[in-house]
Amino acid sequence: MQALESFKRQITPPKKIVITTHPKPDADALGSSLGMANYLIKKGNDVTVITPTDYPSFLNWMKGHEDVINFEDKNLKPLALKKISEAEIIICLDFSNLSRINELGEIIGKSKAYKVVIDHHQDPEDFADFMYWSTKAAATCELIYDLIVKIGDQELIDKDIAECLYAGIMTDTGGFKHPNTTKNVHLVTAELIELGADNCKIARLIYDTNSVNRLKFIGFALSRRLVILQELKTAYFSINKKDLRKYASQTGDTEGLVNYALSLDGIKIAALFTEREDGIKISFRSTEDVVINKFAAEYFNGGGHKNAAGGKSDLPLPETLEKFETLIKENKETLFNQLEFIHEKS
Ligand code: 5GP
Ligand code: MN
């Protein structure tokens, strides 16, 4: 409670605040950032949201998105650096390890600003002055709502803020389908609807707004890029650079693809390997009885949640797939019987 009081004092306006989140922000990352930004602006603060990369265009409706600074944009980087150097408070949302945001993390690590982490991922790094963190929360947006209510500012949550927060909870629960869809999730989203969030509009904007290229890309991936290892209860997609070019792939176009692999009967582990400019990006998903984030952390320099994690590989795509298949075979017992990974002695 003392920590909450100190946080409340810190955000007393006027303060210069920078908010950041993880690379390729999803609806929870951007929704929590803009939800928090709009709330803090309403209180009278000067707030800048800086994202480490761009984000999908289907999030472009959130209030304040046009003011977001993409750190990868060379023209905007000097402004981002100025805002960080002037910041009195830096708030990190939906991630909790500075190494995840590369150069931006190094700069934030060196800053003397009061640092805040609000997150629901496992194994957070201990660098913040105030941490509001729980792996029981389905989404960072759920934590932001909780925090604003605890501060006593619920009346400041308007339609715009409610819609940002609703979006993050909706997507991080997989549209209220995943096991993290708790009673609290329904209570909070009910409140957000009461506060003005148009839930049908948000679902349509996020799930039902496709480009022709994206739909054709999904069809292509399903028919040509899906590998099913039935005996290993595993299925994965591998998408190479040429595929991405052929379908003029935009940020966000591969989002959700991995779930088709997990929807197959008898499949408990699904993965999506995407060959990007800076290496292979991997998305892992698993059914409720399989823990996948430890596998991602152990072998693919990643992490995340029990049933939804991510990682990367610097090997070429074919070698990455070979490595993945070998590791699934080797760790079959561990993965499907919920055992701890055995660390090799070096
Ligand atoms: P997605 O597959 O949707 O990109 O990510 C699934 C989950 O894993 C998200 O909670 C995301 O934050 C986390 N995640 C994705 N990539 C990485 C990564 O490279 N490192 C870590 N630690 N977490 C990741
Ligand atoms: Mn999240």
Side-chain angles (χ1 to χ4, degrees):
M1 241 20 202
Q2 228 176 352
L4 184 66
E5 286 307 314
S6 141
F7 175 69
K8 260 171 93 168
R9 262 197 313 279
Q10 286 290 336
I11 59 169
T12 306
K15 291 281 161 56
K16 290 193 174 70
I17 302 174
V18 162
I19 296 177
T20 192
T21 186
H22 61 72
K24 297 288 172 191
D26 54 14
D28 191 34
L30 196 71
S32 58
S33 299
L34 289 174
M36 190 68 170
N38 289 322
Y39 158 69
L40 292 170
I41 289 168
K42 225 168 160 180
K43 278 179 90 74
N45 295 292
D46 171 359
V47 186
T48 308
V49 176
I50 301 172
T51 54
T53 67
D54 64 349
Y55 50 82
S57 59
F58 57 73
L59 300 177
N60 274 351
W61 53 269
M62 290 183 182
K63 188 185 177 196
H65 91 86
E66 59 287 332
D67 298 323
V68 171
I69 300 179
N70 172 2
F71 196 66
E72 277 184 341
D73 184 333
K74 288 193 178 61
N75 295 323
L76 293 177
K77 195 168 170 177
L79 179 61
L81 292 172
K82 181 170 176 282
K83 291 286 183 185
I84 296 169
S85 72
E86 288 171 359
E88 294 158 271
I89 304 172
I90 297 180
I91 307 181
C92 298
L93 299 180
D94 203 35
F95 78 102
S96 39
N97 292 75
L98 286 176
S99 60
R100 237 194 118 189
I101 57 167
N102 308 321
E103 187 195 349
L104 190 52
E106 282 173 37
I107 298 163
I108 291 175
K110 285 182 196 141
S111 158
K112 294 274 177 288
Y114 177 87
K115 294 187 195 107
V116 176
V117 164
I118 305 173
D119 186 33
H120 65 137
H121 290 91
Q122 276 168 347
D123 305 323
E125 185 183 329
D126 184 17
F127 70 90
D129 299 289
F130 175 66
M131 194 153 183
Y132 198 70
W133 170 86
S134 170
T135 54
K136 291 200 180 82
T140 300
C141 285
E142 183 183 352
L143 291 171
I144 303 272
Y145 175 83
D146 267 7
L147 185 61
I148 296 176
V149 170
K150 275 210 177 88
I151 289 171
D153 278 340
Q154 195 191 19
E155 79 280 4
L156 291 184
I157 302 180
D158 55 24
K159 180 179 167 68
D160 293 322
I161 297 173
E163 294 200 330
C164 290
L165 301 181
Y166 184 93
I169 301 175
M170 181 189 77
T171 58
D172 265 26
T173 55
F176 309 103
K177 286 192 300 191
H178 296 333
N180 60 1
T181 312
T182 57
K183 176 181 170 188
N184 194 54
V185 159
H186 284 300
L187 290 173
V188 169
T189 46
E191 283 297 326
L192 293 172
I193 291 171
E194 181 71 18
L195 291 162
D198 183 341
N199 51 321
C200 297
K201 180 194 80 178
I202 296 168
R204 179 171 39 77
L205 287 171
I206 291 183
Y207 291 130
D208 296 333
T209 307
N210 280 310
S211 64
V212 175
N213 268 333
R214 182 176 187 231
L215 271 195
K216 291 193 171 171
F217 168 71
I218 293 170
F220 164 80
L222 285 169
S223 57
R224 305 285 299 279
R225 292 290 181 260
L226 176 61
V227 177
I228 304 166
L229 309 169
Q230 200 73 44
E231 286 199 350
L232 294 171
K233 300 174 189 150
T234 298
Y236 66 83
F237 290 98
S238 73
I239 307 294
N240 62 40
K241 275 186 198 160
K242 253 173 87 181
D243 300 337
L244 295 175
R245 268 200 302 273
K246 186 172 168 202
Y247 291 92
S249 176
Q250 304 293 309
T251 296
D253 278 2
T254 54
E255 210 158 300
L257 185 62
V258 65
N259 296 320
Y260 287 105
L262 194 66
S263 74
L264 285 163
D265 203 17
I267 295 302
K268 287 176 176 278
I269 294 175
L272 163 65
F273 297 85
T274 313
E275 188 184 27
R276 301 214 179 272
E277 289 309 321
D278 55 347
I280 313 292
K281 156 82 182 106
I282 314 168
S283 281
F284 295 107
R285 297 291 184 271
S286 63
T287 49
E288 205 184 340
D289 52 338
V290 176
V291 179
I292 203 64
N293 54 353
K294 290 185 181 164
F295 178 84
E298 184 84 10
Y299 301 116
F300 289 99
N301 193 21
H305 310 287
K306 184 183 153 203
N307 303 126
K312 10 188 181 314
S313 163
D314 293 327
L315 296 171
L317 186 56
E319 279 86 336
T320 302
L321 301 176
E322 210 178 296
K323 173 179 165 183
F324 172 68
E325 288 198 21
T326 307
L327 286 168
I328 292 282
K329 264 184 220 136
E330 282 177 9
N331 290 287
K332 216 164 69 175
E333 293 300 314
T334 313
L335 286 162
F336 299 118
N337 296 312
Q338 298 199 33
L339 303 172
E340 282 296 314
F341 286 101
I342 299 159
H343 293 258
E344 277 178 33
K345 290 199 181 80
S346 52

